[in-house]
Protein backbone atom coordinates (compact mmCIF):
# COMPACT_ATOMS: atom_id res chain seq x y z
CA UNK A 1 0.00 0.00 0.00
CA UNK A 2 1.14 3.50 -0.83
CA UNK A 3 -0.67 5.23 2.02
CA UNK A 4 0.96 7.57 4.47
CA UNK A 5 0.60 6.76 8.15
CA UNK A 6 -1.76 9.77 8.58
CA UNK A 7 -4.14 8.66 5.79
CA UNK A 8 -6.19 6.22 7.82
CA UNK A 9 -9.77 5.87 6.68
CA UNK A 10 -12.22 7.38 9.12
CA UNK A 11 -15.44 5.49 9.77
CA UNK A 12 -18.56 7.11 8.35
CA UNK A 13 -20.55 8.69 11.19
CA UNK A 14 -23.92 7.21 10.19
CA UNK A 15 -25.57 7.95 13.54
CA UNK A 16 -24.71 11.65 13.27
CA UNK A 17 -25.83 11.76 9.65
CA UNK A 18 -29.15 10.01 10.25
CA UNK A 19 -29.99 12.13 13.30
CA UNK A 20 -29.14 15.43 11.61
CA UNK A 21 -32.22 17.70 11.66
CA UNK A 22 -31.16 19.77 8.60
CA UNK A 23 -30.79 16.56 6.57
CA UNK A 24 -34.31 15.43 7.43
CA UNK A 25 -35.63 18.91 6.72
CA UNK A 26 -34.21 18.73 3.20
CA UNK A 27 -35.52 15.18 2.72
CA UNK A 28 -39.00 16.26 3.84
CA UNK A 29 -39.00 19.37 1.63
CA UNK A 30 -37.81 17.35 -1.36
CA UNK A 31 -40.48 14.70 -0.80
CA UNK A 32 -43.22 17.33 -0.55
CA UNK A 33 -42.00 19.11 -3.70
CA UNK A 34 -41.83 15.85 -5.65
CA UNK A 35 -45.28 14.80 -4.46
CA UNK A 36 -46.72 18.15 -5.52
CA UNK A 37 -45.09 18.03 -8.93
CA UNK A 38 -46.25 14.45 -9.46
CA UNK A 39 -49.79 15.49 -8.56
CA UNK A 40 -49.64 18.37 -11.03
CA UNK A 41 -48.28 16.18 -13.80
CA UNK A 42 -50.79 13.39 -13.33
CA UNK A 43 -53.97 15.16 -12.23
CA UNK A 44 -53.95 18.39 -14.25
CA UNK A 45 -55.00 16.81 -17.56
CA UNK A 46 -57.78 14.80 -15.87
CA UNK A 47 -59.01 17.87 -14.00
CA UNK A 48 -59.03 20.01 -17.13
CA UNK A 49 -60.94 17.32 -19.02
CA UNK A 50 -63.47 16.17 -16.42
CA UNK A 51 -64.10 19.33 -14.39
CA UNK A 52 -63.62 22.05 -16.98
CA UNK A 53 -64.50 20.16 -20.16
CA UNK A 54 -61.29 20.87 -22.07
CA UNK A 55 -60.43 18.62 -24.98
CA UNK A 56 -57.06 17.11 -24.05
CA UNK A 57 -55.95 16.54 -27.64
CA UNK A 58 -55.96 20.26 -28.34
CA UNK A 59 -55.08 21.66 -24.93
CA UNK A 60 -51.52 20.51 -24.40
CA UNK A 61 -50.42 24.13 -24.09
CA UNK A 62 -52.71 24.80 -21.15
CA UNK A 63 -51.70 21.66 -19.25
CA UNK A 64 -48.09 22.84 -19.06
CA UNK A 65 -48.98 26.18 -17.42
CA UNK A 66 -49.01 24.90 -13.79
CA UNK A 67 -45.62 23.24 -14.25
CA UNK A 68 -44.11 26.38 -15.75
CA UNK A 69 -45.53 28.47 -12.92
CA UNK A 70 -44.08 26.02 -10.38
CA UNK A 71 -40.62 26.32 -11.93
CA UNK A 72 -40.83 30.11 -12.01
CA UNK A 73 -42.09 30.25 -8.43
CA UNK A 74 -39.31 27.96 -7.24
CA UNK A 75 -36.67 30.16 -8.90
CA UNK A 76 -38.19 33.31 -7.44
CA UNK A 77 -38.57 31.77 -3.98
CA UNK A 78 -34.94 30.66 -4.06
CA UNK A 79 -33.77 34.19 -4.79
CA UNK A 80 -36.02 35.64 -2.09
CA UNK A 81 -34.79 33.07 0.44
CA UNK A 82 -31.18 33.86 -0.43
CA UNK A 83 -31.85 37.57 0.01
CA UNK A 84 -33.54 37.04 3.37
CA UNK A 85 -30.72 34.83 4.52
CA UNK A 86 -28.00 37.30 3.51
CA UNK A 87 -29.81 40.14 5.30
CA UNK A 88 -29.53 38.26 8.53
Amino acid sequence: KDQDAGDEEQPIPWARILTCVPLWSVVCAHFCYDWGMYALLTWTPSYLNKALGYDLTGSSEITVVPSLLAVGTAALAGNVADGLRSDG
Side-chain angles (χ1 to χ4, degrees), residues 66-88:
S67 298
L68 290 176
L69 290 174
V71 169
T73 302
L76 179 64
N79 288 333
V80 169
D82 288 344
L84 291 172
R85 188 146 163 82
S86 66
D87 290 343

Side-chain angles (χ1 to χ4, degrees), residues 20-39:
C20 179
V21 173
L23 170 71
W24 288 107
S25 300
V26 170
V27 168
C28 180
H30 187 68
F31 173 81
C32 292
Y33 174 80
D34 283 346
W35 185 85
M37 286 303 294
Y38 178 77

Side-chain angles (χ1 to χ4, degrees), residues 8-69:
E8 294 180 25
E9 285 190 30
Q10 297 292 322
I12 298 173
W14 287 112
R16 283 186 59 204
I17 292 171
L18 294 176
T19 58
C20 179
V21 173
L23 170 71
W24 288 107
S25 300
V26 170
V27 168
C28 180
H30 187 68
F31 173 81
C32 292
Y33 174 80
D34 283 346
W35 185 85
M37 286 303 294
Y38 178 77
L40 277 176
L41 288 173
T42 57
W43 285 88
T44 299
S46 298
Y47 172 76
L48 290 174
N49 183 298
K50 293 177 183 173
L52 301 178
Y54 283 105
D55 177 25
L56 292 181
T57 57
S59 64
S60 60
E61 295 85 15
I62 201 166
T63 60
V64 77
V65 170
S67 298
L68 290 176
L69 290 174

